[in-house]
PDB file of all heavy atoms in Angstrom:
ATOM      1  N   ARG L  27      14.117  27.340 -16.899  1.00  0.00           N
ATOM      2  CA  ARG L  27      13.888  28.633 -17.559  1.00  0.00           C
ATOM      3  C   ARG L  27      14.571  29.753 -16.788  1.00  0.00           C
ATOM      4  O   ARG L  27      15.094  30.710 -17.384  1.00  0.00           O
ATOM      5  CB  ARG L  27      12.385  28.905 -17.671  1.00  0.00           C
ATOM      6  CG  ARG L  27      11.691  28.030 -18.713  1.00  0.00           C
ATOM      7  CD  ARG L  27      10.191  28.200 -18.671  1.00  0.00           C
ATOM      8  NE  ARG L  27       9.765  29.560 -18.992  1.00  0.00           N
ATOM      9  CZ  ARG L  27       8.505  29.968 -18.932  1.00  0.00           C
ATOM     10  NH1 ARG L  27       7.549  29.120 -18.566  1.00  0.00           N
ATOM     11  NH2 ARG L  27       8.194  31.208 -19.243  1.00  0.00           N
ATOM     12  N   SER L  41      11.263  40.579 -19.138  1.00  0.00           N
ATOM     13  CA  SER L  41       9.854  40.601 -18.753  1.00  0.00           C
ATOM     14  C   SER L  41       9.244  39.226 -18.954  1.00  0.00           C
ATOM     15  O   SER L  41       9.771  38.395 -19.701  1.00  0.00           O
ATOM     16  CB  SER L  41       9.070  41.638 -19.570  1.00  0.00           C
ATOM     17  OG  SER L  41       9.065  41.286 -20.946  1.00  0.00           O
ATOM     18  N   TRP L  53     -12.221  35.502 -30.594  1.00  0.00           N
ATOM     19  CA  TRP L  53     -12.972  34.349 -30.119  1.00  0.00           C
ATOM     20  C   TRP L  53     -12.116  33.093 -30.078  1.00  0.00           C
ATOM     21  O   TRP L  53     -12.287  32.232 -29.197  1.00  0.00           O
ATOM     22  CB  TRP L  53     -14.231  34.129 -30.961  1.00  0.00           C
ATOM     23  CG  TRP L  53     -13.996  33.577 -32.347  1.00  0.00           C
ATOM     24  CD1 TRP L  53     -13.833  34.284 -33.484  1.00  0.00           C
ATOM     25  CD2 TRP L  53     -13.916  32.191 -32.708  1.00  0.00           C
ATOM     26  NE1 TRP L  53     -13.647  33.442 -34.562  1.00  0.00           N
ATOM     27  CE2 TRP L  53     -13.699  32.142 -34.104  1.00  0.00           C
ATOM     28  CE3 TRP L  53     -14.023  30.996 -31.999  1.00  0.00           C
ATOM     29  CZ2 TRP L  53     -13.565  30.946 -34.797  1.00  0.00           C
ATOM     30  CZ3 TRP L  53     -13.887  29.807 -32.700  1.00  0.00           C
ATOM     31  CH2 TRP L  53     -13.673  29.788 -34.082  1.00  0.00           C
ATOM     32  N   LEU L  72      -8.557  15.784 -10.663  1.00  0.00           N
ATOM     33  CA  LEU L  72      -7.880  14.497 -10.487  1.00  0.00           C
ATOM     34  C   LEU L  72      -7.450  14.307  -9.035  1.00  0.00           C
ATOM     35  O   LEU L  72      -7.650  13.228  -8.456  1.00  0.00           O
ATOM     36  CB  LEU L  72      -6.657  14.430 -11.411  1.00  0.00           C
ATOM     37  CG  LEU L  72      -5.740  13.212 -11.234  1.00  0.00           C
ATOM     38  CD1 LEU L  72      -6.476  11.928 -11.574  1.00  0.00           C
ATOM     39  CD2 LEU L  72      -4.479  13.364 -12.088  1.00  0.00           C
ATOM     40  N   ALA L  73      -6.877  15.353  -8.451  1.00  0.00           N
ATOM     41  CA  ALA L  73      -6.443  15.267  -7.054  1.00  0.00           C
ATOM     42  C   ALA L  73      -7.627  15.006  -6.136  1.00  0.00           C
ATOM     43  O   ALA L  73      -7.561  14.163  -5.228  1.00  0.00           O
ATOM     44  CB  ALA L  73      -5.735  16.565  -6.648  1.00  0.00           C
ATOM     45  N   TRP L  81     -15.550  16.240   0.537  1.00  0.00           N
ATOM     46  CA  TRP L  81     -15.452  17.540   1.180  1.00  0.00           C
ATOM     47  C   TRP L  81     -16.734  18.325   1.001  1.00  0.00           C
ATOM     48  O   TRP L  81     -17.394  18.244  -0.028  1.00  0.00           O
ATOM     49  CB  TRP L  81     -14.279  18.331   0.600  1.00  0.00           C
ATOM     50  CG  TRP L  81     -12.960  17.775   0.963  1.00  0.00           C
ATOM     51  CD1 TRP L  81     -12.643  17.098   2.104  1.00  0.00           C
ATOM     52  CD2 TRP L  81     -11.765  17.836   0.197  1.00  0.00           C
ATOM     53  NE1 TRP L  81     -11.335  16.740   2.100  1.00  0.00           N
ATOM     54  CE2 TRP L  81     -10.769  17.185   0.932  1.00  0.00           C
ATOM     55  CE3 TRP L  81     -11.440  18.394  -1.035  1.00  0.00           C
ATOM     56  CZ2 TRP L  81      -9.470  17.072   0.479  1.00  0.00           C
ATOM     57  CZ3 TRP L  81     -10.150  18.288  -1.486  1.00  0.00           C
ATOM     58  CH2 TRP L  81      -9.177  17.632  -0.737  1.00  0.00           C
ATOM     59  N   GLY L  83     -18.921  21.627   0.329  1.00  0.00           N
ATOM     60  CA  GLY L  83     -18.740  22.742  -0.575  1.00  0.00           C
ATOM     61  C   GLY L  83     -18.358  23.997   0.178  1.00  0.00           C
ATOM     62  O   GLY L  83     -18.322  24.027   1.407  1.00  0.00           O
ATOM     63  N   GLY L 173       6.844  27.097  -4.692  1.00  0.00           N
ATOM     64  CA  GLY L 173       7.864  28.049  -5.095  1.00  0.00           C
ATOM     65  C   GLY L 173       8.561  27.660  -6.379  1.00  0.00           C
ATOM     66  O   GLY L 173       8.901  28.521  -7.202  1.00  0.00           O
ATOM     67  N   TYR L 175       7.578  26.106  -9.226  1.00  0.00           N
ATOM     68  CA  TYR L 175       6.998  26.355 -10.540  1.00  0.00           C
ATOM     69  C   TYR L 175       6.696  27.832 -10.803  1.00  0.00           C
ATOM     70  O   TYR L 175       6.143  28.180 -11.832  1.00  0.00           O
ATOM     71  CB  TYR L 175       5.750  25.484 -10.788  1.00  0.00           C
ATOM     72  CG  TYR L 175       4.639  25.588  -9.777  1.00  0.00           C
ATOM     73  CD1 TYR L 175       3.738  26.640  -9.794  1.00  0.00           C
ATOM     74  CD2 TYR L 175       4.469  24.581  -8.820  1.00  0.00           C
ATOM     75  CE1 TYR L 175       2.712  26.710  -8.871  1.00  0.00           C
ATOM     76  CE2 TYR L 175       3.440  24.639  -7.907  1.00  0.00           C
ATOM     77  CZ  TYR L 175       2.562  25.713  -7.935  1.00  0.00           C
ATOM     78  OH  TYR L 175       1.541  25.771  -7.024  1.00  0.00           O
ATOM     79  N   GLN L 179       9.438  33.427 -13.136  1.00  0.00           N
ATOM     80  CA  GLN L 179       9.283  34.868 -12.958  1.00  0.00           C
ATOM     81  C   GLN L 179      10.508  35.498 -12.314  1.00  0.00           C
ATOM     82  O   GLN L 179      10.680  36.715 -12.378  1.00  0.00           O
ATOM     83  CB  GLN L 179       8.058  35.174 -12.090  1.00  0.00           C
ATOM     84  CG  GLN L 179       6.742  34.719 -12.694  1.00  0.00           C
ATOM     85  CD  GLN L 179       5.577  34.940 -11.756  1.00  0.00           C
ATOM     86  OE1 GLN L 179       5.687  35.637 -10.749  1.00  0.00           O
ATOM     87  NE2 GLN L 179       4.443  34.328 -12.063  1.00  0.00           N
ATOM     88  N   GLY L 180      11.340  34.692 -11.675  1.00  0.00           N
ATOM     89  CA  GLY L 180      12.521  35.208 -11.009  1.00  0.00           C
ATOM     90  C   GLY L 180      12.738  34.552  -9.661  1.00  0.00           C
ATOM     91  O   GLY L 180      11.875  33.806  -9.162  1.00  0.00           O
ATOM     92  N   TYR L 197      -2.480  26.359   7.205  1.00  0.00           N
ATOM     93  CA  TYR L 197      -3.914  26.569   7.412  1.00  0.00           C
ATOM     94  C   TYR L 197      -4.689  25.294   7.086  1.00  0.00           C
ATOM     95  O   TYR L 197      -5.595  24.907   7.827  1.00  0.00           O
ATOM     96  CB  TYR L 197      -4.407  27.721   6.533  1.00  0.00           C
ATOM     97  CG  TYR L 197      -5.905  27.935   6.612  1.00  0.00           C
ATOM     98  CD1 TYR L 197      -6.463  28.661   7.652  1.00  0.00           C
ATOM     99  CD2 TYR L 197      -6.761  27.389   5.655  1.00  0.00           C
ATOM    100  CE1 TYR L 197      -7.835  28.836   7.742  1.00  0.00           C
ATOM    101  CE2 TYR L 197      -8.136  27.556   5.736  1.00  0.00           C
ATOM    102  CZ  TYR L 197      -8.663  28.286   6.783  1.00  0.00           C
ATOM    103  OH  TYR L 197     -10.029  28.456   6.871  1.00  0.00           O
ATOM    104  N   THR L 201      -7.049  23.208   9.697  1.00  0.00           N
ATOM    105  CA  THR L 201      -8.501  23.279   9.514  1.00  0.00           C
ATOM    106  C   THR L 201      -9.076  22.216   8.582  1.00  0.00           C
ATOM    107  O   THR L 201     -10.269  21.897   8.670  1.00  0.00           O
ATOM    108  CB  THR L 201      -8.902  24.652   8.950  1.00  0.00           C
ATOM    109  OG1 THR L 201      -8.415  24.779   7.610  1.00  0.00           O
ATOM    110  CG2 THR L 201      -8.345  25.774   9.819  1.00  0.00           C
ATOM    111  N   LEU L 207      -8.566  28.873   0.573  1.00  0.00           N
ATOM    112  CA  LEU L 207      -7.298  29.010  -0.139  1.00  0.00           C
ATOM    113  C   LEU L 207      -7.523  29.179  -1.637  1.00  0.00           C
ATOM    114  O   LEU L 207      -6.837  29.957  -2.298  1.00  0.00           O
ATOM    115  CB  LEU L 207      -6.419  27.790   0.134  1.00  0.00           C
ATOM    116  CG  LEU L 207      -6.168  27.457   1.610  1.00  0.00           C
ATOM    117  CD1 LEU L 207      -5.275  26.228   1.732  1.00  0.00           C
ATOM    118  CD2 LEU L 207      -5.558  28.646   2.328  1.00  0.00           C
TER     119      LEU L 207
END
Side-chain angles (χ1 to χ4, degrees):
R27 288 173 63 185
S41 64
W53 73 267
L72 173 64
W81 291 330
Y175 56 80
Q179 298 175 13
Y197 176 82
T201 68
L207 306 180

